[in-house]
């Protein structure tokens, strides 16, 4: 299973989730080693990205353009 990371790696301070893919830093670090956790992480990401958008953040590739 390929990583959902899109090389944005900007994190929301309140949730700890990446604005690009939705993963938290610990999940990103474990992705290569913990294959059993991958499906659950992948399942959580769409909801996280929606929550980040509802909180006023740009997400996905748009988050990369919002640096500053």
């Amino acid at each position: 299973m390929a990583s959902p990371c899109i090389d944005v790696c900007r994190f929301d301070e309140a949730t700890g989730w990446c604005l690009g893919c939705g993963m938290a830093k610990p999940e990103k670090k474990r992705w290569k080693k913990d294959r059993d956790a991958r499906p659950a992480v992948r399942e959580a990401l769409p909801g996280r990205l929606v929550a980040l958008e509802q909180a006023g953040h740009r997400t996905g590739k748009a988050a990369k353009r919002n640096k500053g």
Side-chain angles (χ1 to χ4, degrees):
M1 180 179 295
S3 172
C5 181
I6 61 169
D7 295 323
V8 171
C9 299
R10 296 183 62 231
F11 294 87
D12 174 56
E13 290 182 26
T15 62
W17 299 334
C18 175
L19 299 175
C21 67
M23 286 196 291
K25 286 180 185 180
E27 292 168 336
K28 284 184 174 239
K29 289 181 181 179
R30 287 193 315 257
W31 184 263
K32 287 184 181 179
K33 296 179 183 180
D34 193 356
R35 291 177 183 261
D36 293 337
R38 290 179 186 181
V41 171
R42 271 235 186 243
E43 187 175 320
L45 300 182
R48 291 178 184 180
L49 292 172
V50 168
L52 289 168
E53 288 173 8
Q54 289 174 342
H57 296 288
R58 290 185 182 181
T59 62
K61 292 184 181 190
K64 193 170 197 169
R65 293 188 299 268
N66 194 30
K67 287 187 177 184

